């Protein structure tokens, strides 16, 4: 388990630093709100999220995978699936789970009150990809653990999935410039920054589209895909219309946002 944590932290720090450097050298858009305002809030949220996970989630998804293997429990174990195939299917099916979880958090009002913290960010960059309300993170952790046990996900499968998911979230939220021809090819397979940026538009139909975090096929298959923002990437407005004042979206306001009256 310690090795798993080392790998996850190493990849997290490495991808965060790499995408942040890419943003500094080749940004896709001009930033409206300075990083000095946004980054302390976003990075503070991930620290709080990790503390809350440790306090309120008794087991990790990796621990659930180990229990499943020891108990020979889960669909993959019941059908005697080859371990290599089980790992590949685990990454694909868990990615599908995250897609539908994302859709549901948009469509259920009570869950949207939690998830909208992610969308209130008035700009989008690498730190937006790790900016979530602690309660949403806790719910997501429980959902993931249940899925791991039901499927019988191998330990290596969940480790690979969580590393890829975290790296993909930081990559596709990055304010990074990709050649348009390369973007067109990549988005056939994975969610690119230009594809996911549409999801952070203030226009409601665009906000509720492009839900994928890693594999891009789910949005096309379930008809939630929008190719480009109506106003273009340079002119589109990021965030939610009613939360455009960065002075009113400090850390305390963000944490209490789901529990305050409209």
């Amino acid at each position: 388990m310690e090795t798993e944590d080392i790998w996850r932290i190493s990849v997290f720090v490495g991808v965060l630093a790499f995408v942040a450097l890419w943003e500094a050298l080749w940004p896709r858009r001009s930033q409206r709100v300075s990083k000095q305002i946004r980054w302390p809030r976003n990075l503070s949220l991930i620290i709080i999220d990790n503390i809350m996970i440790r306090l309120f989630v008794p087991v990790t998804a990796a621990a659930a995978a180990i229990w499943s293997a020891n108990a020979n429990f889960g669909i993959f174990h019941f059908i005697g699936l080859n371990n290599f195939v089980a790992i590949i299917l685990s990454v694909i099916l868990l990615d599908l789970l995250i897609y539908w979880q994302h859709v549901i958090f948009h469509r259920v009002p009570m869950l949207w009150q939690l998830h909208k913290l992610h969308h209130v960010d008035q700009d989008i960059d690498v730190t937006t990809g790790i900016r979530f309300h602690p309660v949403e993170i806790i719910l997501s952790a429980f959902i993931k653990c249940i899925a791991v046990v039901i499927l019988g996900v191998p330990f290596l499968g969940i480790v690979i999935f969580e590393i890829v998911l975290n790296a993909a979230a930081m990559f596709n939220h990055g304010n990074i410039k990709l050649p348009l021809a390369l973007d067109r090819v990549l988005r056939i397979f994975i969610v690119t920054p230009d594809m996911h940026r549409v999801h952070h538009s203030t226009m409601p139909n665009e906000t509720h589209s492009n839900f994928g975090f890693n594999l891009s096929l789910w949005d096309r298959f379930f008809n939630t895909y929008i190719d480009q923002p109506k106003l273009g990437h340079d002119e589109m407005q990021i965030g939610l219309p009613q939360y455009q004042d960065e002075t009113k979206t400090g850390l305390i306001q963000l944490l209490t946002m789901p529990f305050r009256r409209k």
Side-chain angles (χ1 to χ4, degrees):
M1 298 295 287
E2 292 180 359
T3 304
E4 174 221 347
D5 288 339
I6 292 171
W7 270 104
R8 288 183 60 188
I9 293 170
S10 298
V11 172
F12 171 80
V13 173
V15 174
L16 178 65
F18 177 76
V19 176
L21 179 61
W22 192 344
E23 289 177 338
L25 297 176
W26 297 288
R28 180 68 169 86
R29 289 165 39 96
S30 298
Q31 298 282 279
R32 189 170 68 85
V33 183
S34 73
K35 291 182 178 180
Q36 286 75 16
I37 293 175
R38 293 177 50 255
W39 276 40
R41 299 173 185 176
N42 293 355
L43 295 175
S44 295
L45 279 169
I46 192 170
I47 294 171
I48 294 170
D49 288 347
N50 277 279
I51 292 172
M52 297 296 281
I53 283 284
R54 299 290 183 182
L55 290 175
F56 294 102
V57 182
V59 296
T60 64
I66 292 174
W67 178 89
S68 177
N70 291 337
N72 202 32
F73 186 89
I75 295 172
F76 295 158
H77 296 294
F78 295 157
I79 64 178
L81 197 63
N82 174 274
N83 195 59
F84 178 74
V85 176
I87 290 172
I88 295 174
L89 281 178
S90 296
V91 174
I92 294 172
L93 292 176
L94 288 173
D95 195 74
L96 176 60
L97 171 71
I98 294 298
Y99 167 86
W100 276 111
Q101 177 186 307
H102 196 180
V103 171
I104 291 168
F105 268 79
H106 271 249
R107 293 182 178 171
V108 176
M110 185 182 299
L111 298 177
W112 171 247
Q113 291 305 311
L114 296 170
H115 182 66
K116 73 179 182 181
L117 179 150
H118 179 66
H119 284 266
V120 167
D121 210 355
Q122 291 95 6
D123 271 317
I124 180 172
D125 64 19
V126 63
T127 64
T128 310
I130 54 179
R131 165 198 169 108
F132 294 93
H133 196 280
V135 178
E136 179 179 359
I137 290 293
I138 290 169
L139 291 174
S140 181
F142 276 111
I143 292 169
K144 197 185 307 174
C145 286
I146 292 169
V148 165
V149 172
I150 291 173
L151 290 173
V153 172
F155 173 77
L156 187 56
I158 189 60
V159 172
I160 292 173
F161 172 74
E162 292 201 321
I163 288 174
V164 169
L165 182 67
N166 288 335
M170 288 186 284
F171 166 72
N172 59 46
H173 284 85
N175 181 33
I176 56 180
K177 183 178 291 185
L178 283 174
L180 295 181
L182 178 59
D183 176 84
R184 283 194 295 270
V185 173
L186 285 179
R187 69 166 63 194
I188 296 173
F189 308 100
I190 64 171
V191 178
T192 65
D194 274 13
M195 176 179 168
H196 191 73
R197 191 175 298 108
V198 177
H199 181 72
H200 285 265
S201 164
T202 55
M203 292 187 175
N205 67 311
E206 293 180 351
T207 302
H208 304 300
S209 71
N210 295 11
F211 294 99
F213 265 79
N214 181 26
L215 300 177
S216 61
L217 77 159
W218 309 126
D219 281 298
R220 291 186 176 88
F221 187 80
F222 294 109
N223 199 32
T224 55
Y225 176 68
I226 292 180
D227 185 72
Q228 299 293 332
K230 182 178 180 180
L231 298 180
H233 288 280
D234 292 328
E235 300 300 324
M236 68 181 291
Q237 191 173 26
I238 300 294
L240 295 177
Q242 64 270 42
Y243 294 99
Q244 289 298 305
D245 185 351
E246 70 273 8
T247 64
K248 296 181 180 179
T249 53
L251 183 61
I252 300 301
Q253 289 97 325
L254 292 174
L255 290 171
T256 59
M257 183 184 299
F259 315 111
R260 286 187 272 119
R261 288 180 175 272
K262 293 181 181 180

